[in-house]
Amino acid sequence: MDGDLRKGNIKVTRADWLEAAETVLIQRGVAQVKILTLAETLAVSRSSFYWYFKSRKDLLDQLLADWQGRNTKAVVDHCGREAREITSAVMNLFECFIDQAKFDPRLDFAIREWARRSPEVRAEVDRADAARIAAIQSMFSRHGYEEGEAYTRARIIYYMQIGYYALVETEPLETRIAQLEAYLIGFTGQNPDPEEMADFVHRSRQVLQRSP
């Protein structure tokens, strides 16, 4: 569905319920993620919900788990990729944030809004942030940075990226590409390889061409 709530489907799956719930969470907030609302959206009886979930809380728990399994896993996986230089490693991380099929910023923001109202979700967000920063720190450490510096650089990159989403930044890719070399130098203190930058830019444009 991805933004447009599906109607008229009488044979829905667990994935359909989760997708509908995620769409409502992103568009309207967690308070509107209700069984009856989702059933009406999917054009099914609310009783079919209980084939897949024990309760609304069970559904919300699954939404959190899916968010962790998508967004946090994407950051960790991209940080773990092999890279010849730290600047290449940082571009691997950037690639994760460019591809919304891997890291969905709308979902991340919706979860953070939910966390403002729920200590339990706040704790999940804190765990996710810690895991993501630890993965970035490890990436810097593998490239020879001392522990304290690796941690600081990890926080700078991560909070900058999350800040873009918090500010609803809509800066065009071409603008960011023009600043890529300066960003990489600022984040790493190293000069990037021009060929590796060109390859990253090519991959980034391909990702955006595939995006809906």
Side-chain angles (χ1 to χ4, degrees):
M1 290 179 291
D2 193 21
D4 293 323
L5 299 179
R6 182 185 332 190
K7 297 183 182 294
N9 188 351
I10 59 172
K11 293 183 179 179
V12 298
T13 65
R14 177 181 178 279
D16 290 326
W17 282 99
L18 281 169
E19 189 177 355
E22 181 181 298
T23 300
V24 172
L25 176 67
I26 290 170
Q27 294 180 349
R28 308 177 200 170
V30 68
Q32 297 305 312
V33 181
K34 302 174 181 177
I35 299 172
L36 180 58
T37 300
L38 298 177
E40 291 174 349
T41 296
L42 295 167
V44 295
S45 66
R46 62 182 296 173
S47 62
S48 65
F49 170 89
Y50 295 100
W51 282 98
Y52 305 108
F53 306 97
K54 297 176 182 177
S55 62
R56 178 177 181 268
K57 183 180 184 306
D58 184 27
L59 171 66
L60 294 179
D61 288 344
Q62 290 303 310
L63 279 176
L64 277 175
D66 283 2
W67 162 70
Q68 291 276 29
R70 186 190 317 177
N71 283 16
T72 299
K73 184 177 185 298
V75 173
V76 173
D77 287 352
H78 278 70
C79 287
R81 288 183 176 180
E82 290 188 12
R84 186 172 62 87
E85 305 287 348
I86 183 58
T87 50
S88 308
V90 170
M91 284 187 279
N92 285 339
L93 176 59
F94 286 169
E95 189 176 328
C96 155
F97 292 122
I98 288 171
D99 191 348
Q100 293 191 14
K102 297 177 180 177
F103 184 99
D104 188 338
R106 302 165 307 160
L107 178 59
D108 223 63
F109 186 76
I111 296 290
R112 291 176 189 280
E113 282 294 301
W114 179 8
R116 295 186 180 192
R117 299 161 179 79
S118 168
E120 179 182 312
V121 178
R122 176 74 260 173
E124 284 294 317
V125 169
D126 290 344
R127 280 191 285 272
D129 286 338
R132 296 172 190 182
I133 290 171
I136 302 172
Q137 179 184 2
S138 179
M139 179 184 74
F140 275 101
S141 296
R142 289 196 307 273
H143 287 274
Y145 290 78
E146 178 272 328
E147 181 180 356
E149 182 179 1
Y151 178 64
T152 299
R153 289 184 182 276
R155 285 167 59 90
I156 289 170
I157 288 182
Y158 181 66
Y159 289 133
M160 183 280 294
Q161 188 63 49
I162 296 302
Y164 262 83
Y165 301 142
L167 294 171
V168 196
E169 180 59 59
T170 57
E171 186 176 65
L173 177 64
E174 294 304 320
T175 300
R176 301 189 76 175
I177 285 173
Q179 300 169 337
L180 177 60
E181 182 175 8
Y183 274 131
L184 290 170
I185 294 172
F187 289 143
T188 69
Q190 304 293 324
N191 291 311
D193 182 296
E195 291 186 4
E196 291 190 341
M197 281 200 305
D199 182 58
F200 167 75
V201 169
H202 176 70
R203 295 198 312 271
S204 299
R205 287 179 173 144
Q206 286 185 318
V207 167
L208 290 181
Q209 287 173 358
R210 296 196 306 267
S211 299

